[in-house]
Amino acid sequence: MNAARWQAPQEDGGTLIEPPPSDWPKLVKTNVECFRTIETRFCGVSLADWRSQLRALVAQLATVQLQRWGENLRWSEGRFLVTGHQPELFHPGVWAKCFAIAEPAPKIGLVPLNLVADQDQPKPLAIRTPVRKERGLTTEWVPFCDANPSLAWEEYAISWGQDNPLPTLHAQPQTSSSIPTHSAPNLCSEEFFQNFPKQVVQICGDLLPDMILPRFWSLAMQLAARLNPPACLAETLSGARRLWEQRWGYRNAELRVSTLADTEPFHAFVVTLLNQLPSFVQQHNTELYAFRRENRLRSRTHPVPSLRSAEGWCESPFWAWMRGQPRQPLWWSARNDGWQLRLGEAGPILQVRAVRRREDLAVWRQVLQQAGWKIRPRALTLTLFARLFLAELFVHGIGGAIYDRFTDRLLWRVWGIKPPHYTVVSATLRLPLPRPASPPWNRAELIQRLRDCQFNPDRVLPSETLALAQVQSLVARKRALLLQWAEASREQRPVLHRQLAEICEALRPMTRQVEAELRQRLNILADYQAQLALVTARDWAFVLYSDSALTHLVENIRQKFSVLRGV
């Protein structure tokens, strides 16, 4: 793929699908052939066996998840077309990925699966809304949860009413252990959650009278009341989104990463990396530094931070934490015949037996569960695991696709695995906000005139000021000095420069009114540019858009995939 094409569309309603939909069946076929050639083993088990087990397990877990949302849709087993994102109220360009797996999946014999990245940490538990002020458009942040956004999504819950027993998600169907329903200590109050759409409508309802938020939030509140209290915030928001998608005929499978990360295949992936962690850290950082040099990236956090080593400890590419606590990097150290795990740089330490065989995984998982530890993937290891263990084809957004170019290098360097293909999907949808009137001035010209106020005040003085005898004398003197400058010697020029500066100092006080007017115009232009940026922005929460605008985007994507005839 040509990464230069990974640009967000400029036109309203435009889409980015790269490679084009007609190539997707071929990509799937190529990936399947690639997986057949992989000989790497995880805990002594072939990747093919892990993929088969995980596909069956994900089909069952996704079925149970949809039952919790009130929908009976079953997959006995499936091959998956996968995408994923955090459970936030993201912009329509992100939502386009869900549409882009729903459309082609049945035509190429796959099940569309969206992974809800609830192991990630929310930025704010709020959305940015446009608001009309006296000077024009500006923005306000409106929170939908009154908890402190310092934990992973899976730790937040809504303190809702009735206790209604629902199916429980089991990571291993053959055992009695189950995934917790995430009744986290960080609770969002029912009243605060319920009042969110009223707050938004009060702020920007005049600008966006057709937004879907009130109807969407009604779905979310119905789900929150239905789910085992307290309702998981991530499960509630992603469930409401999933139910909304049904109006377009979409029936995607959904699974939270917190559930996926409690499966045996994921733990096999984790301990395989831990077994080779010192080498992995070195290879990771070597490839990372090379990637930054080649792409001229100066940031120490892009595409991912480097992994650290200190005093026999290595930082792993995973998060770990205890229930209700902030995420910490998982650190690992080998001690005799066992391992030490540590939460962050100075957190609690857990002693565990080294895990090298599949038979050791049950004890490993039991120790973690008894200690109350959660191990979750970071962004890099999530897509690495999903592409390697689960997906026939993975659909990225632009940002994910950019950092997965680094993941591809890592796959080849660490395991000698030819990276499976992925695709890139995004879209642009703008809100129908009033466009500000364009001021009649050019910013570059205003800045030049402002500079002239300081260094060439005679160029900006009004005609009535230039007509004054004193001013005419100073301007004539300046012209004469400039004529002398061309033939002046090196010794003479400092004297001429000083005389010119004295003339500027004498004229500068007369430009104060002009300078004030120029600065005022620049401020007006800055306000215009800021308002224009809001009008043309594509990153508004999808709940602020109208149903007709979102449906139009769906139809655009549907038309793009109409080239596929089916299998």
Side-chain angles (χ1 to χ4, degrees):
M1 282 192 296
N2 184 359
R5 298 178 182 175
W6 300 347
Q7 302 290 332
Q10 293 300 309
E11 66 276 14
D12 189 16
T15 59
L16 167 71
I17 304 174
E18 179 69 22
S22 57
D23 290 349
W24 286 31
K26 182 171 61 178
L27 296 178
V28 172
K29 182 179 180 181
T30 303
N31 283 352
V32 170
E33 293 172 352
C34 173
F35 290 133
R36 288 174 182 160
T37 65
I38 295 175
E39 298 180 355
T40 306
R41 303 179 78 83
F42 296 81
C43 287
V45 179
S46 70
L47 180 63
D49 287 344
W50 282 124
R51 283 179 61 86
S52 178
Q53 177 183 335
L54 189 59
R55 284 198 300 265
L57 188 54
V58 165
Q60 179 172 349
L61 292 170
T63 296
V64 175
Q65 180 63 79
L66 291 186
Q67 288 175 353
R68 289 176 58 80
W69 289 335
E71 183 176 358
N72 290 314
L73 187 61
R74 296 180 178 275
W75 299 274
S76 57
E77 186 174 348
R79 297 166 59 237
F80 293 100
L81 177 61
V82 183
T83 191
H85 203 78
Q86 297 88 343
E88 62 191 5
L89 301 174
F90 40 63
H91 63 82
V94 172
W95 208 357
K97 295 188 297 181
C98 294
F99 311 154
I101 62 171
E103 287 293 336
K107 299 178 181 179
I108 55 180
L110 302 180
V111 174
L113 172 67
N114 180 59
L115 296 177
V116 179
D118 61 344
Q119 91 293 355
D120 210 343
Q121 182 175 320
K123 302 174 183 74
L125 291 165
I127 67 169
R128 187 178 66 130
T129 63
V131 57
R132 195 196 309 267
K133 297 289 187 180
E134 184 177 347
R135 292 183 61 182
L137 293 178
T138 183
T139 61
E140 285 188 23
W141 285 93
V142 185
F144 51 81
C145 178
D146 49 355
N148 182 19
S150 61
L151 307 179
W153 272 102
E154 65 179 275
E155 297 294 334
Y156 293 99
I158 308 165
S159 56
W160 210 262
Q162 62 192 40
D163 188 351
N164 186 23
L166 293 171
T168 304
L169 293 179
H170 293 272
Q172 292 294 339
Q174 67 272 26
T175 70
S176 59
S177 61
S178 65
I179 300 294
T181 53
H182 306 296
S183 52
N186 262 38
L187 295 179
C188 174
S189 68
E190 173 184 348
E191 181 180 4
F192 196 94
F193 186 80
Q194 197 167 12
N195 286 334
F196 171 66
K198 297 178 184 177
Q199 298 295 324
V200 173
V201 169
Q202 183 177 355
I203 290 172
C204 62
D206 61 324
L207 289 168
L208 306 170
D210 298 324
M211 72 175 91
I212 69 169
L213 176 60
R215 287 175 291 161
F216 178 89
W217 217 249
S218 177
L219 279 178
M221 290 189 292
Q222 291 172 31
L223 273 181
R226 170 186 168 81
L227 296 171
N228 282 331
C232 172
L233 179 61
E235 186 178 15
T236 300
L237 293 179
S238 55
R241 171 193 49 74
R242 170 61 175 74
L243 291 175
W244 192 274
E245 291 170 4
Q246 292 182 13
R247 67 181 49 231
W248 300 309
Y250 294 152
R251 296 290 190 274
N252 292 350
E254 298 262 342
L255 190 64
R256 287 176 284 161
V257 171
S258 58
T259 302
L260 182 68
D262 279 337
T263 62
E264 185 185 30
F266 179 77
H267 282 279
F269 172 68
V270 171
V271 299
T272 299
L273 269 180
L274 295 182
N275 267 305
Q276 60 185 106
L277 191 58
S279 171
F280 179 86
V281 168
Q282 182 180 14
Q283 293 169 320
H284 174 281
N285 291 345
T286 299
E287 284 298 328
L288 179 61
Y289 300 149
F291 183 84
R292 287 176 182 167
R293 284 195 304 270
E294 292 170 13
N295 293 276
R296 300 179 180 179
L297 299 175
R298 296 184 179 181
S299 170
R300 294 184 178 181
T301 60
H302 287 85
V304 294
S306 59
L307 297 175
R308 297 164 290 172
S309 299
E311 300 177 352
W313 288 89
C314 293
E315 181 187 4
S316 76
F318 299 100
W319 296 115
W321 69 90
M322 300 177 71
R323 186 179 182 80
Q325 299 298 316
R327 300 182 308 174
Q328 301 284 348
L330 175 65
W331 287 72
W332 172 96
S333 176
R335 291 292 184 269
N336 300 323
D337 61 343
W339 295 345
Q340 290 188 111
L341 307 178
R342 190 177 70 199
L343 296 181
E345 296 185 55
I349 294 176
L350 182 64
Q351 306 280 349
V352 297
R353 289 170 49 185
V355 183
R356 294 183 176 87
R357 302 173 306 162
R358 182 174 188 172
E359 293 76 14
D360 302 328
L361 285 172
V363 175
W364 155 268
R365 297 174 68 193
Q366 185 178 13
V367 170
L368 291 175
Q369 186 177 26
Q370 291 174 348
W373 282 40
K374 301 179 179 185
I375 295 181
R376 302 290 189 255
R378 298 194 196 184
L380 178 144
T381 40
L382 173 58
T383 55
L384 197 159
F385 175 73
R387 290 174 61 197
L388 201 56
F389 277 67
L390 178 60
E392 303 299 305
L393 184 65
F394 195 90
V395 179
H396 264 306
I398 295 173
I402 290 172
Y403 75 65
D404 242 17
R405 291 187 298 159
F406 166 65
T407 308
D408 285 351
R409 299 171 63 135
L410 203 58
L411 263 175
W412 178 255
R413 184 179 182 96
V414 175
W415 290 306
I417 294 176
K418 181 181 177 182
H421 295 288
Y422 58 84
T423 63
V424 185
V425 171
S426 191
T428 292
L429 199 60
R430 297 192 172 93
L431 289 174
L433 299 173
R435 197 177 185 92
S438 176
W441 312 296
N442 180 281
R443 184 174 183 273
E445 291 177 0
L446 293 179
I447 291 174
Q448 181 59 54
R449 286 178 62 80
L450 198 59
R451 179 178 172 81
D452 286 341
C453 287
Q454 182 175 1
F455 299 106
N456 294 287
D458 53 302
R459 294 181 182 177
V460 299
L461 290 175
S463 56
E464 58 270 19
T465 303
L466 286 171
L468 297 174
Q470 178 187 2
V471 174
Q472 288 184 351
S473 174
L474 289 169
V475 171
R477 176 61 178 157
K478 176 184 176 181
R479 290 172 181 166
L481 291 172
L482 289 175
L483 289 174
Q484 296 176 35
W485 183 273
E487 298 179 1
S489 65
R490 181 179 298 179
E491 292 77 12
Q492 293 172 326
R493 285 189 175 183
V495 177
L496 294 176
H497 183 274
R498 186 166 55 252
Q499 293 175 345
L500 286 168
E502 289 172 354
I503 294 173
C504 283
E505 286 295 323
L507 292 174
R508 191 172 296 131
M510 305 178 192
T511 67
R512 287 172 183 167
Q513 183 176 352
V514 174
E515 183 177 351
E517 292 175 357
L518 290 171
R519 293 190 183 280
Q520 184 181 24
R521 291 179 179 182
L522 283 171
N523 288 336
I524 292 172
L525 273 175
D527 287 343
Y528 166 75
Q529 291 295 337
Q531 292 182 51
L532 187 63
L534 294 181
V535 171
T536 57
R538 59 186 292 271
D539 59 349
W540 301 102
F542 68 82
V543 292
L544 297 178
Y545 291 80
S546 67
D547 186 39
S548 60
L550 293 168
T551 300
H552 181 65
L553 177 59
V554 168
E555 290 171 348
N556 284 350
I557 293 176
R558 183 166 288 163
Q559 191 276 329
K560 297 282 187 180
F561 283 99
S562 64
V563 297
L564 299 177
R565 296 181 177 276
V567 296

